[in-house]
Amino acid sequence: MTTSEPLAGTGPRRLPSADGPDDWRLFQGDGERREVPFPAAPPWRRFDRQESPTGAEAPHPRPYLIGPEEADVVNAALHLRRPLLVTGQPGTGKSSLAHAVAHELALGAVLQWPVNSRSTLQDALYQYDAVGRLREATLRRDADGTEPDIGQYIRLGPLGNALVSRERPRVLLVDELDKGDIDLPNDLLTVFEEGEFTIPELTRLPEDHAPVRVQTDEPDDPAPITRGRVRCREFPVVIITSNGERDFPPAFLRRCVRLDLPEPDERRLREIVAAHLGPTALDDMDDLLREFLGRRATGELATDQLLNAVFLRKGGVDLDAGSLLKAVLHQLGGAV
């Protein structure tokens, strides 16, 4: 690779674009500083998309393909106003389904609740900054004797935002519920059945108190709450994902519509790659597709990994160089 003359001082050297087979190697591993032009990122790893400050217009999501039978199950959940419990192997598009639904139905940005072992129903509903309010009250009492508005110190969580009264529902993604506490699904039952919850800090206010405007995910659009009761007008589109790490209680399953996303076959894989990278993306790449299908048969592989491999091959990377192909198409299960 040919380099330009060194820049003044000890700064990095600029490398012009090269046409040789090694021009994809931005990092050389020789300890020498260079200023190299970065190539375009894969479509699914670009973060420069513009989004409405209020989230009213969500950015266009990655292309999402789903079979008619699976789409019918999604529509059943929409009509029944029931949570959709989506299961399937990693990489089958469980989480992406929520963004696809929000985009197609023009329901705004997705409210996301990534569940982990420490997640609680309280966190998903709202948070109250009691310490911050006490501090502000003390300062104001010393200054002008006024009390701060309690609504400034209450912020709705993703589930709380989803249950705010609106003409059109929001989409709530409860991601990997099976990673949460064993009692969390049961904790959700009442909220999902009633479509409401209360904020005790507001129920203690005088009966004639005006509605309190609490903070939402839209900074300029607080929600007015009367007597501490948050109740949806339209039940939100709730999409719950699970990797099958444990079973859910029968009472919870009875209240959900179940969707198991199958691993895409060769035809669907070709359609997915074409949707992301163009109709000719798999030209002359049958060997790569066969390698992916062969490795997936013996271990866990995600469709994202095939997209990564095709993107690199299209960029001139020699994916036949053993260890690189193994690094891109690595198994998702087992110890690392």
Side-chain angles (χ1 to χ4, degrees):
M1 185 179 292
T2 305
T3 63
S4 61
E5 292 297 322
L7 300 176
T10 60
R13 294 187 295 172
R14 184 182 299 276
L15 290 173
S17 297
D19 298 325
D22 290 338
D23 65 341
W24 75 280
R25 288 187 171 90
L26 308 178
F27 172 70
Q28 300 292 329
D30 57 9
E32 187 172 347
R33 296 183 66 195
R34 305 173 178 86
E35 186 175 310
V36 300
F38 269 65
W44 53 91
R45 294 298 296 170
R46 294 175 186 167
F47 302 95
D48 57 350
R49 298 168 298 185
Q50 297 299 315
E51 183 177 357
S52 168
T54 64
E57 296 182 2
H60 196 295
R62 297 168 54 179
Y64 191 85
L65 299 180
I66 189 173
E69 294 182 357
E70 290 80 20
D72 286 344
V73 178
V74 175
N75 283 295
L78 296 175
H79 281 277
L80 294 172
R81 307 303 200 271
R82 287 291 186 182
L84 179 68
L85 177 59
V86 186
T87 57
Q89 293 295 324
T92 51
K94 298 186 296 295
S95 301
S96 299
L97 177 59
H99 296 274
V101 171
H103 171 70
E104 286 196 19
L105 302 184
L107 297 179
V110 174
L111 298 164
Q112 302 188 60
W113 181 19
V115 176
N116 58 50
S117 60
R118 298 179 300 278
S119 297
T120 65
L121 177 61
Q122 171 70 42
D123 293 335
L125 293 175
Y126 76 98
Q127 297 86 43
Y128 173 49
D129 184 6
V131 174
R133 185 181 181 220
L134 178 61
R135 183 186 303 113
E136 182 68 16
T138 301
L139 293 175
R140 289 195 182 188
R141 195 176 298 115
D142 295 340
D144 54 19
T146 62
E147 289 288 332
D149 180 10
I150 188 174
Q152 299 177 18
Y153 303 93
I154 295 177
R155 178 172 296 277
L156 298 180
L159 178 53
N161 274 291
L163 293 174
V164 168
S165 178
R166 300 183 181 88
E167 291 186 4
R168 287 175 63 77
R170 294 287 297 274
V171 176
L172 170 66
L173 171 62
V174 183
D175 209 10
E176 298 188 333
L177 181 60
D178 52 333
K179 291 188 180 299
D181 184 83
I182 191 171
D183 292 325
L184 186 57
N186 283 327
D187 293 341
L188 288 170
L189 285 180
T190 300
V191 176
F192 284 161
E193 283 298 291
E194 303 297 332
E196 68 177 31
F197 69 98
T198 58
I199 301 177
E201 290 81 3
L202 300 184
T203 61
R204 292 192 285 266
L205 296 175
E207 290 188 6
D208 59 348
H209 196 285
V212 176
R213 304 181 71 84
V214 302
Q215 306 303 304
T216 68
D217 67 313
E218 301 177 1
D220 299 325
D221 189 21
I225 305 300
T226 302
R227 299 291 298 145
R229 183 173 181 237
V230 181
R231 181 178 178 83
C232 64
R233 186 183 314 176
E234 279 285 346
F235 188 75
V237 179
V238 180
I239 296 180
I240 303 170
T241 71
S242 169
N243 290 323
E245 294 186 3
R246 63 177 175 81
D247 296 330
F248 293 119
F252 177 81
L253 295 177
R254 182 170 60 84
R255 291 167 171 82
C256 296
V257 175
R258 298 282 301 275
L259 172 62
D260 184 52
L261 291 178
E263 288 187 326
D265 57 17
E266 180 176 344
R267 179 184 62 83
R268 180 54 57 82
L269 285 172
R270 290 183 179 275
E271 293 173 348
I272 292 173
V273 173
H276 284 271
L277 297 173
T280 62
L282 277 175
D283 288 356
D284 302 322
M285 296 199 186
D286 287 345
D287 61 326
L288 195 57
L289 183 57
R290 286 194 302 269
E291 183 74 20
F292 175 83
L293 290 170
R295 288 173 180 255
R296 191 180 70 175
T298 58
E300 298 176 356
L301 288 181
T303 305
D304 281 357
Q305 294 170 287
L306 176 62
L307 290 170
N308 292 337
V310 173
F311 180 80
L312 289 176
R313 172 78 71 82
K314 283 175 61 69
V317 180
D318 181 12
L319 272 177
D320 293 327
S323 60
L324 182 56
L325 182 61
K326 182 179 179 181
V328 175
L329 299 183
H330 61 87
Q331 292 187 10
L332 302 180
V336 176

